[in-house]
Amino acid sequence: MEQLMVVVPSLNPDDKLIQVVDGMIAAGFSYVLLVDDGSDKDHWKPFLEAEQRPACTVLRHEKNLGKGRALKTAFDYICRERRDIRGVVTVDGDNQHKPRDARRLAEELIKYPAVVMLGVRNFKEHQVPLHNRMGNMITSLVFRMLCGIALSDTQTGMRAISAEHLPRFLEVAGERFEYETNMLLFMKTAGIHFREIPIETVYIENNATSHFNPLTDSAKIYGPILKFAGGSVASAGIDLFFFTLLIWALQDMASLNRQILIATVGARAVSSLFNYTFNRRAVFSSNESRRITIVRYYFLCIVQMMISYKGVALLVGAAGFTGLGKTVVKLGVDSILFAMTFHIQREWVFKKKKSDSYIDSGVQQ
């Protein structure tokens, strides 16, 4: 453990922070780095006491900047000042991460330095607060269905990371709790593999010391997904408007299938221009060339359009819907295609280029 450093971001800690520091040192870690994220004067004592330990270094923010920025401050310090460090283990300062688990992650990192180790809790245990259990269940489902990432604990702050990855994680967006979520998304797009390591599930005082804001922090965590949903809703509105308009204009056409096909193609031609531009810039921030992404996007668009056309034509023909009934059927069919298109656009259409430092560890991605 001589070349590994424990990183602990903390805001307004109590005496449990000293227990964390002493526990990590007792577990065999030679270095502990604390980041005081703008704590007030009433909470300086734990940091001042920790500084008395030769193994402990304290970095300070003049004001609260967020957990994400605190982690970045630590990573930047290690990259610039401690080039001897081979990796870090991030833990929380509320003593809910146990030293023996941190050591387990560190030992796995030593064996597989290219892999990010994630300490995962068992959310089925009775001591887990209901809001944490529900939050993790929903986020895990979203990650799996829309992002293509299978995680059993999306909220874990215990992670073991090679120093080689730290410069890349410094480029990840996010200053507060959303940064840890963005790290997971970045690992997927950058080709950085991960391994889940079971750890003890601990919630002290119902997680009362957490600084997580359920409203603002959740909004930031779900930001990319909410942007995609918002863009898709706007695009669907444009699509349905022109579909309904064309159905009305073509109401005297004898062939029902031809009427639906022309309305579907015409509406999608308009809505797809908005949807492509919005998703490329606002949601996926793709660095692929426009020529490549637009070819991929419109290939997907044509396939999706034909599935939509066939689905609407079959359902309308079977049920005999007329007028706005056709629009309702189309809304239902296109809603089913929503989750599929998010995954395909992230993984293929707007997939980010892997950097030259891409590492293939052959474990789990």
Side-chain angles (χ1 to χ4, degrees), residues 337-355:
L337 296 173
F338 169 80
M340 294 172 54
T341 57
F342 180 93
H343 181 72
I344 295 172
Q345 287 188 46
R346 174 182 286 280
E347 298 301 315
W348 182 58
V349 177
F350 299 109
K351 185 176 183 180
K352 294 181 181 180
K353 296 178 180 178
K354 292 183 174 65
S355 67

Side-chain angles (χ1 to χ4, degrees), residues 104-125:
R104 286 182 59 211
L105 265 68
E107 290 171 347
E108 289 298 309
L109 182 66
I110 291 171
K111 289 189 288 187
Y112 305 101
V115 183
V116 172
M117 303 298 167
L118 304 177
V120 297
R121 297 157 293 181
N122 182 0
F123 281 83
K124 296 180 180 179
E125 295 185 9

Side-chain angles (χ1 to χ4, degrees), residues 246-283:
L246 289 170
I247 285 290
W248 175 80
L250 300 170
Q251 59 185 318
D252 294 330
M253 182 173 287
S255 173
L256 175 63
N257 285 348
R258 183 176 297 178
Q259 179 194 56
I260 294 175
L261 177 60
I262 294 174
T264 300
V265 173
R268 190 57 52 88
V270 177
S271 65
S272 63
L273 290 174
F274 165 81
N275 189 250
Y276 168 80
T277 303
F278 182 85
N279 283 349
R280 185 176 190 273
R281 294 179 179 177
V283 181

Side-chain angles (χ1 to χ4, degrees), residues 9-11 37 64-72 92-94 97 132 139 143 154-157 159 172-185 207 209-223:
S10 185
L11 171 65
D37 186 28
N64 175 241
L65 300 177
K67 186 179 183 181
R69 175 47 57 185
L71 288 170
K72 290 179 182 179
D92 293 340
D94 53 9
H97 289 150
N132 291 89
T139 309
F143 264 69
T154 61
Q155 305 167 18
T156 180
R159 305 173 181 190
V172 175
E175 300 297 299
R176 298 190 178 275
F177 285 99
E178 79 277 8
Y179 175 67
E180 291 180 307
T181 301
N182 291 344
M183 287 176 68
L184 299 174
L185 297 174
N207 209 25
T209 58
S210 173
H211 298 282
F212 183 85
N213 186 305
L215 293 177
T216 59
D217 291 317
S218 294
K220 291 177 181 178
I221 288 172
Y222 287 101

Side-chain angles (χ1 to χ4, degrees), residues 121-129 132-133 136-137 152 201 203:
R121 297 157 293 181
N122 182 0
F123 281 83
K124 296 180 180 179
E125 295 185 9
H126 69 279
Q127 71 270 30
V128 179
N132 291 89
R133 184 181 297 127
N136 184 74
M137 181 181 70
S152 59
T201 305
Y203 280 94

